[in-house]
Amino acid sequence: MMMLTIIVAVVVVFVTLILISFLQTLSLKTPAFTNWPFIGMLPQFLRNLSNIHEFSAKLLNSKGGTIEFIGPWFTNMKGVITTDPMNVHHIMSKSFTNYVKGDLFREMFKPFGVGIFTTDSHLWKFNRNLLQYIFKQRSFEDLQERIIHNKVETSLIPLLNHVQQQKGLIVDLQDIFNRFTFDNICSIILGHDPNCLSIDFPEIECEKAFNQAEESIFYRHTVPLCVWRLQKWLQIGEEKKMTDACKVFDHFLYDCIASKREELTKNSNKNQNIETDESHVDLLTYLITEEEKKGESNDDKFLRDAAFNLFVAGRDTITSSLTWLFYLVATHPLVEAKILEEIKEKFGHKEKPWILNVDEVKNLVYLHGAICEALRLFPPIPFERKESVEKDVLPSGHHVHPNTMILFSLYAMGRSENIWGEDCLEFKPERWISERGGIVYAPSYKFFSFNAGPRTCLGKDLAFIQIKMVAASILWNYGIHVVEGNCVTPSLSIVLLMKHGLKVKITKRGV
């Protein structure tokens, strides 16, 4: 059986490569989307892999928002790809129990372990209820505010000051945000600051490993199942990179867990109460102490999986949001001017450099609109995946069979005229502001960046707060200038980052 699988995989790859060579002459605008004999529709996707998000957006828009995808024969690589809001509402809310992550999803996202993003049914409910309880605590919001405030004041502002003093120095703003959010999420979850964000830009092995794991997971979605399973078995290519990356990052997580258990044991022996100031209690400490109170014992694997899932939720999504936001603001001077005008009107009396607190950033309506626009056009998680349990008929009229894969293209949704109108490609914060100057809230099945239905992101409000605190501080103090010729291309990963980073020059703002 293994030999048959290998032969099929080799044949599929060989024939696909031949067709890719033929399709080199085809344009991205070519309307034809052919179901080839034996190899299905895979060649078109592989041909446009480097530009897969734009290709998918144009394809889905030309097909009314929903297509049926058929992969190579014997690969079981088939499903439905959609941007239809009614399909989203049906799958994520109305028929929630019929659409799950499924076993294949868990296999493809194995580095996530048994966490909130990969589980279904009672395991998912357990993880969600636990995190929901924590996130609702005022102390958790206080912890996040304190950590972000401290990191901006002691690391981000000094680094940006250093950069702007080196006249003409070009830096990768995405790398800066990557380091900033990695330090923050480590502090919030693990109670450990690796100090990635410093003037000498140190290379942090675990941070690089985490990025590689995400890229390898995306790769699994671009080739037939038998191909990446074969690579995993042989430990070659992306699967070898995945294995090595997970070893490095797991070693980092387990070391942090062991250190935290040791620290708490010592404090317990000294009769020290770690709850004297709840705003200083990181999530890992909370999970360990809660299990001790209940007389339970969550093993290190549970803590590791919880941490890994929250790293994805609270680190890369923020990096992506900040990077695309600053790119859009820097390339739209009128929007930048309005953001600065709003800040000056409400907080111009504060001395520089300053950092707004949680309550203050909630008053920045125009900045909120700019963030929503950035999330609409460049959603941090560009696609969402589900699997059907029983047969069904979607509102779009497409028939779904048991175990059918459903892919939502969030990137394409943000570029759909049917959803956002003829100006869908424009960056318009005003889209999110009412005539009375309040915030306009779009339904989650239309604005899908924070998921929808029972799986709506628990950290949505915390994410907006963090992005506003960072964005307001930087924009008020510095001018961000995108370097001419900087190639802005989405990366091929499960998180929508910039493939070549965001190269900028930074100047001191004289507001």
Side-chain angles (χ1 to χ4, degrees), residues 284-307:
L284 186 57
T285 297
Y286 182 89
L287 290 175
I288 294 175
T289 54
E290 280 298 304
E291 72 182 24
E292 291 176 351
K293 286 180 185 177
K294 297 176 182 178
E296 300 173 351
S297 179
N298 292 323
D299 60 20
D300 288 355
K301 177 65 166 55
F302 170 83
L303 298 174
R304 177 265 174 214
D305 291 351

mmCIF file of all heavy atoms in Angstrom, residues 284-307:
data_model
loop_
_atom_site.group_PDB
_atom_site.id
_atom_site.type_symbol
_atom_site.label_atom_id
_atom_site.label_comp_id
_atom_site.label_asym_id
_atom_site.label_seq_id
_atom_site.Cartn_x
_atom_site.Cartn_y
_atom_site.Cartn_z
ATOM 1 N N LEU A 284 0.250 31.381 32.124
ATOM 2 C CA LEU A 284 0.790 30.088 32.534
ATOM 3 C C LEU A 284 0.700 29.921 34.049
ATOM 4 O O LEU A 284 0.312 28.856 34.547
ATOM 5 C CB LEU A 284 2.244 29.958 32.069
ATOM 6 C CG LEU A 284 2.926 28.614 32.280
ATOM 7 C CD1 LEU A 284 2.146 27.492 31.611
ATOM 8 C CD2 LEU A 284 4.363 28.645 31.746
ATOM 9 N N THR A 285 1.031 30.965 34.777
ATOM 10 C CA THR A 285 0.907 30.928 36.232
ATOM 11 C C THR A 285 -0.545 30.689 36.643
ATOM 12 O O THR A 285 -0.829 29.890 37.537
ATOM 13 C CB THR A 285 1.396 32.249 36.849
ATOM 14 O OG1 THR A 285 2.782 32.415 36.563
ATOM 15 C CG2 THR A 285 1.190 32.260 38.364
ATOM 16 N N TYR A 286 -1.449 31.365 35.955
ATOM 17 C CA TYR A 286 -2.869 31.219 36.263
ATOM 18 C C TYR A 286 -3.328 29.781 36.054
ATOM 19 O O TYR A 286 -4.008 29.206 36.920
ATOM 20 C CB TYR A 286 -3.690 32.166 35.390
ATOM 21 C CG TYR A 286 -5.166 32.109 35.687
ATOM 22 C CD1 TYR A 286 -5.729 32.937 36.658
ATOM 23 C CD2 TYR A 286 -6.002 31.213 35.025
ATOM 24 C CE1 TYR A 286 -7.074 32.866 36.947
ATOM 25 C CE2 TYR A 286 -7.351 31.142 35.307
ATOM 26 C CZ TYR A 286 -7.878 31.969 36.274
ATOM 27 O OH TYR A 286 -9.220 31.893 36.574
ATOM 28 N N LEU A 287 -2.954 29.177 34.929
ATOM 29 C CA LEU A 287 -3.382 27.818 34.629
ATOM 30 C C LEU A 287 -2.844 26.819 35.650
ATOM 31 O O LEU A 287 -3.545 25.901 36.080
ATOM 32 C CB LEU A 287 -2.924 27.423 33.227
ATOM 33 C CG LEU A 287 -3.623 28.124 32.051
ATOM 34 C CD1 LEU A 287 -2.988 27.716 30.734
ATOM 35 C CD2 LEU A 287 -5.113 27.806 32.028
ATOM 36 N N ILE A 288 -1.598 26.982 36.034
ATOM 37 C CA ILE A 288 -0.983 26.047 36.986
ATOM 38 C C ILE A 288 -1.603 26.195 38.371
ATOM 39 O O ILE A 288 -1.920 25.206 39.040
ATOM 40 C CB ILE A 288 0.538 26.265 37.049
ATOM 41 C CG1 ILE A 288 1.174 25.884 35.707
ATOM 42 C CG2 ILE A 288 1.161 25.426 38.170
ATOM 43 C CD1 ILE A 288 2.670 26.180 35.626
ATOM 44 N N THR A 289 -1.795 27.434 38.818
ATOM 45 C CA THR A 289 -2.361 27.644 40.161
ATOM 46 C C THR A 289 -3.825 27.221 40.234
ATOM 47 O O THR A 289 -4.276 26.721 41.266
ATOM 48 C CB THR A 289 -2.231 29.127 40.579
ATOM 49 O OG1 THR A 289 -2.814 29.955 39.556
ATOM 50 C CG2 THR A 289 -0.782 29.507 40.770
ATOM 51 N N GLU A 290 -4.570 27.414 39.145
ATOM 52 C CA GLU A 290 -5.973 27.006 39.126
ATOM 53 C C GLU A 290 -6.104 25.490 39.231
ATOM 54 O O GLU A 290 -6.990 24.979 39.909
ATOM 55 C CB GLU A 290 -6.652 27.502 37.847
ATOM 56 C CG GLU A 290 -7.073 28.949 37.887
ATOM 57 C CD GLU A 290 -8.099 29.231 38.966
ATOM 58 O OE1 GLU A 290 -9.156 28.584 38.966
ATOM 59 O OE2 GLU A 290 -7.824 30.096 39.824
ATOM 60 N N GLU A 291 -5.202 24.759 38.561
ATOM 61 C CA GLU A 291 -5.276 23.302 38.624
ATOM 62 C C GLU A 291 -4.937 22.810 40.035
ATOM 63 O O GLU A 291 -5.493 21.818 40.516
ATOM 64 C CB GLU A 291 -4.340 22.674 37.593
ATOM 65 C CG GLU A 291 -2.866 22.783 37.905
ATOM 66 C CD GLU A 291 -1.978 22.196 36.820
ATOM 67 O OE1 GLU A 291 -2.401 22.112 35.656
ATOM 68 O OE2 GLU A 291 -0.828 21.824 37.150
ATOM 69 N N GLU A 292 -4.045 23.529 40.703
ATOM 70 C CA GLU A 292 -3.683 23.147 42.075
ATOM 71 C C GLU A 292 -4.834 23.409 43.038
ATOM 72 O O GLU A 292 -5.090 22.629 43.960
ATOM 73 C CB GLU A 292 -2.431 23.914 42.506
ATOM 74 C CG GLU A 292 -1.170 23.475 41.766
ATOM 75 C CD GLU A 292 0.049 24.299 42.136
ATOM 76 O OE1 GLU A 292 -0.130 25.326 42.842
ATOM 77 O OE2 GLU A 292 1.165 23.936 41.726
ATOM 78 N N LYS A 293 -5.556 24.512 42.832
ATOM 79 C CA LYS A 293 -6.710 24.828 43.674
ATOM 80 C C LYS A 293 -7.779 23.750 43.584
ATOM 81 O O LYS A 293 -8.431 23.398 44.562
ATOM 82 C CB LYS A 293 -7.319 26.170 43.238
ATOM 83 C CG LYS A 293 -6.519 27.391 43.634
ATOM 84 C CD LYS A 293 -7.248 28.631 43.135
ATOM 85 C CE LYS A 293 -6.450 29.884 43.391
ATOM 86 N NZ LYS A 293 -7.134 31.087 42.842
ATOM 87 N N LYS A 294 -7.973 23.233 42.365
ATOM 88 C CA LYS A 294 -9.011 22.235 42.123
ATOM 89 C C LYS A 294 -8.528 20.817 42.411
ATOM 90 O O LYS A 294 -9.283 19.854 42.252
ATOM 91 C CB LYS A 294 -9.486 22.324 40.673
ATOM 92 C CG LYS A 294 -10.129 23.658 40.317
ATOM 93 C CD LYS A 294 -10.497 23.722 38.844
ATOM 94 C CE LYS A 294 -11.100 25.066 38.476
ATOM 95 N NZ LYS A 294 -11.415 25.168 37.034
ATOM 96 N N GLY A 295 -7.269 20.691 42.794
ATOM 97 C CA GLY A 295 -6.732 19.369 43.060
ATOM 98 C C GLY A 295 -6.518 18.557 41.808
ATOM 99 O O GLY A 295 -6.463 17.322 41.838
ATOM 100 N N GLU A 296 -6.439 19.252 40.675
ATOM 101 C CA GLU A 296 -6.230 18.574 39.401
ATOM 102 C C GLU A 296 -4.789 18.760 38.955
ATOM 103 O O GLU A 296 -4.028 19.518 39.541
ATOM 104 C CB GLU A 296 -7.185 19.155 38.342
ATOM 105 C CG GLU A 296 -8.651 19.005 38.712
ATOM 106 C CD GLU A 296 -9.551 19.749 37.729
ATOM 107 O OE1 GLU A 296 -9.004 20.491 36.891
ATOM 108 O OE2 GLU A 296 -10.774 19.593 37.828
ATOM 109 N N SER A 297 -4.440 18.062 37.893
ATOM 110 C CA SER A 297 -3.078 18.163 37.382
ATOM 111 C C SER A 297 -3.085 18.106 35.861
ATOM 112 O O SER A 297 -3.248 17.045 35.273
ATOM 113 C CB SER A 297 -2.204 17.034 37.943
ATOM 114 O OG SER A 297 -0.884 17.136 37.426
ATOM 115 N N ASN A 298 -2.967 19.282 35.262
ATOM 116 C CA ASN A 298 -2.822 19.334 33.808
ATOM 117 C C ASN A 298 -1.368 19.053 33.460
ATOM 118 O O ASN A 298 -0.467 19.686 34.014
ATOM 119 C CB ASN A 298 -3.216 20.716 33.274
ATOM 120 C CG ASN A 298 -4.706 20.983 33.422
ATOM 121 O OD1 ASN A 298 -5.512 20.079 33.263
ATOM 122 N ND2 ASN A 298 -5.059 22.217 33.734
ATOM 123 N N ASP A 299 -1.141 18.079 32.595
ATOM 124 C CA ASP A 299 0.242 17.767 32.259
ATOM 125 C C ASP A 299 0.859 18.881 31.418
ATOM 126 O O ASP A 299 0.176 19.796 30.958
ATOM 127 C CB ASP A 299 0.345 16.411 31.547
ATOM 128 C CG ASP A 299 -0.464 16.367 30.246
ATOM 129 O OD1 ASP A 299 -0.776 17.441 29.697
ATOM 130 O OD2 ASP A 299 -0.754 15.251 29.782
ATOM 131 N N ASP A 300 2.160 18.798 31.227
ATOM 132 C CA ASP A 300 2.885 19.831 30.492
ATOM 133 C C ASP A 300 2.414 19.930 29.046
ATOM 134 O O ASP A 300 2.480 21.001 28.437
ATOM 135 C CB ASP A 300 4.395 19.559 30.530
ATOM 136 C CG ASP A 300 4.988 19.818 31.905
ATOM 137 O OD1 ASP A 300 4.247 20.296 32.786
ATOM 138 O OD2 ASP A 300 6.186 19.551 32.091
ATOM 139 N N LYS A 301 1.937 18.826 28.474
ATOM 140 C CA LYS A 301 1.459 18.836 27.097
ATOM 141 C C LYS A 301 0.231 19.749 26.966
ATOM 142 O O LYS A 301 0.106 20.499 25.988
ATOM 143 C CB LYS A 301 1.087 17.415 26.667
ATOM 144 C CG LYS A 301 0.504 17.281 25.247
ATOM 145 C CD LYS A 301 1.514 17.640 24.171
ATOM 146 C CE LYS A 301 1.074 17.192 22.784
ATOM 147 N NZ LYS A 301 -0.245 17.668 22.372
ATOM 148 N N PHE A 302 -0.660 19.707 27.937
ATOM 149 C CA PHE A 302 -1.826 20.580 27.916
ATOM 150 C C PHE A 302 -1.398 22.045 27.953
ATOM 151 O O PHE A 302 -1.905 22.881 27.191
ATOM 152 C CB PHE A 302 -2.743 20.279 29.106
ATOM 153 C CG PHE A 302 -3.849 21.293 29.287
ATOM 154 C CD1 PHE A 302 -5.021 21.193 28.558
ATOM 155 C CD2 PHE A 302 -3.701 22.338 30.183
ATOM 156 C CE1 PHE A 302 -6.040 22.139 28.721
ATOM 157 C CE2 PHE A 302 -4.704 23.284 30.348
ATOM 158 C CZ PHE A 302 -5.871 23.179 29.611
ATOM 159 N N LEU A 303 -0.456 22.362 28.834
ATOM 160 C CA LEU A 303 0.031 23.733 28.952
ATOM 161 C C LEU A 303 0.762 24.165 27.683
ATOM 162 O O LEU A 303 0.619 25.301 27.230
ATOM 163 C CB LEU A 303 0.964 23.853 30.159
ATOM 164 C CG LEU A 303 0.330 23.556 31.516
ATOM 165 C CD1 LEU A 303 1.394 23.575 32.613
ATOM 166 C CD2 LEU A 303 -0.771 24.575 31.833
ATOM 167 N N ARG A 304 1.520 23.247 27.101
ATOM 168 C CA ARG A 304 2.240 23.540 25.867
ATOM 169 C C ARG A 304 1.268 23.844 24.734
ATOM 170 O O ARG A 304 1.448 24.814 23.982
ATOM 171 C CB ARG A 304 3.134 22.342 25.503
ATOM 172 C CG ARG A 304 3.891 22.483 24.185
ATOM 173 C CD ARG A 304 3.117 21.813 23.054
ATOM 174 N NE ARG A 304 3.742 22.039 21.754
ATOM 175 C CZ ARG A 304 3.073 22.184 20.613
ATOM 176 N NH1 ARG A 304 1.766 22.123 20.601
ATOM 177 N NH2 ARG A 304 3.715 22.389 19.492
ATOM 178 N N ASP A 305 0.209 23.033 24.599
ATOM 179 C CA ASP A 305 -0.770 23.232 23.528
ATOM 180 C C ASP A 305 -1.531 24.542 23.710
ATOM 181 O O ASP A 305 -1.779 25.269 22.734
ATOM 182 C CB ASP A 305 -1.752 22.054 23.486
ATOM 183 C CG ASP A 305 -1.097 20.761 23.014
ATOM 184 O OD1 ASP A 305 0.062 20.817 22.552
ATOM 185 O OD2 ASP A 305 -1.737 19.703 23.128
ATOM 186 N N ALA A 306 -1.892 24.845 24.941
ATOM 187 C CA ALA A 306 -2.601 26.097 25.218
ATOM 188 C C ALA A 306 -1.722 27.292 24.851
ATOM 189 O O ALA A 306 -2.187 28.256 24.231
ATOM 190 C CB ALA A 306 -3.003 26.170 26.684
ATOM 191 N N ALA A 307 -0.449 27.217 25.209
ATOM 192 C CA ALA A 307 0.486 28.296 24.913
ATOM 193 C C ALA A 307 0.684 28.463 23.409
ATOM 194 O O ALA A 307 0.662 29.584 22.887
ATOM 195 C CB ALA A 307 1.828 28.028 25.597
#
